Amino acid sequence: LNMRQYESYSAEGIMPCDATVSKLTSDEYSDDLSDQPCRLAVARGKPGVIKVGGGENFGEVYISVREYNIANDFPFHAVGGSAATVSPQGWTWQGGLSGNTGGRTFGFGADQVLQIEMVIATGHHIKFGPTEWEEVDGGGAFPKTTKVSGVCNVEGEWKECDDDDDIPFEDFWFAMRGGGGGWGVVLSVYLQLHDYLPMEDIGIDNCPGLGFGAFLSGSLDPILSEI
């Protein structure tokens, strides 16, 4: 498959998620689950989401986030691959280690996923994601998913799937995030965005005479005794 021909979404796919908006706090989801990504982002304490096409790479994602940030006073940060050529799809579904975009702080690539749109082996065009969750005792990075819901695209309209379809949305959600590709063809994915962190400058003064040799010689004892 030449996935580069798939539709791209990231340039126009960034959306702030405001916890005070009534539709994100009501009990009822929209029929097409269009509000599900922001609902989950809000539950995770994240400020926004980005929709990424199946054929886009992280270079396009990072440029989209940067251009949005320049126009909107830098609200968002995206977690992703180290190189612009890395695909959000292959990288994410293999787990997604992020060495230089905050992986130690924000988690794996699989942790960033909010909603998945894909075509599965039966030919069904589906999208799905968590719709119920609960807090974890003792804390945790994110709430624990307790229910995954999905809808089917029927002649261009997203609607509830027929009971006869018997699509295991919860199994797909579990398998996709770290289980590799091969469960279907991903057309798009919603990823969470994080608060933009300011740059911090750290200065180190090189003080002659206060090195390891001075410590061993005992010349630092008067200083250390006052700490």
Side-chain angles (χ1 to χ4, degrees):
L1 295 177
N2 184 357
M3 299 179 68
R4 290 293 292 168
Q5 296 184 6
Y6 290 3
E7 186 171 355
S8 298
Y9 298 102
S10 65
E12 303 295 333
I14 297 175
M15 180 170 53
C17 298
D18 188 344
T20 64
V21 177
S22 60
K23 72 175 184 177
L24 297 183
T25 57
S26 66
D27 294 333
E28 296 295 329
Y29 282 85
S30 61
D31 292 338
D32 61 358
L33 292 185
S34 59
D35 55 344
Q36 181 270 335
C38 259
R39 283 175 178 263
L40 184 54
V42 167
R44 293 179 170 188
K46 304 305 176 184
V49 302
I50 181 171
K51 185 179 182 180
V52 180
E56 294 188 82
N57 58 39
F58 271 117
E60 293 163 307
V61 173
Y62 294 150
I63 289 174
S64 296
V65 174
R66 175 173 173 77
E67 291 180 348
Y68 185 96
N69 280 345
I70 291 174
N72 295 276
D73 198 25
F74 284 82
F76 297 138
H77 168 77
V79 173
S82 299
T85 54
V86 173
S87 163
Q89 308 306 331
W91 180 84
T92 299
W93 311 135
Q94 295 294 339
L97 296 176
S98 174
N100 58 2
T101 59
R104 289 180 180 269
T105 300
F106 301 119
F108 293 104
D111 295 323
Q112 314 308 314
V113 180
L114 301 171
Q115 185 185 91
I116 303 169
E117 177 191 1
M118 60 190 292
V119 176
I120 57 178
T122 58
H124 290 90
H125 181 187
I126 61 175
K127 65 178 178 179
F128 56 96
T131 51
E132 292 183 13
W133 44 79
E134 62 184 13
E135 296 299 325
V136 179
D137 292 339
F142 304 122
K144 177 183 177 181
T145 297
T146 58
K147 181 179 179 181
V148 177
S149 301
V151 290
C152 290
N153 190 316
V154 181
E155 297 181 352
E157 181 180 353
W158 291 105
K159 58 178 64 177
E160 184 177 353
C161 304
D162 293 336
D163 292 338
D164 294 339
D165 294 335
D166 193 25
I167 299 173
F169 290 115
E170 293 191 359
D171 291 340
F172 277 129
W173 181 253
F174 176 81
M176 287 292 296
R177 298 170 305 111
W183 305 101
V185 179
V186 177
L187 303 181
S188 72
V189 60
Y190 272 96
L191 304 175
Q192 64 189 11
L193 295 172
H194 306 268
D195 289 313
Y196 187 87
L197 300 179
M199 180 71 71
E200 295 184 6
D201 294 329
I202 300 175
I204 300 177
D205 293 329
N206 185 11
C207 301
L210 298 182
F212 188 61
F215 174 76
L216 293 178
S217 68
S219 61
L220 294 182
D221 289 349
I223 299 176
L224 295 176
S225 66
E226 297 179 2
I227 297 178

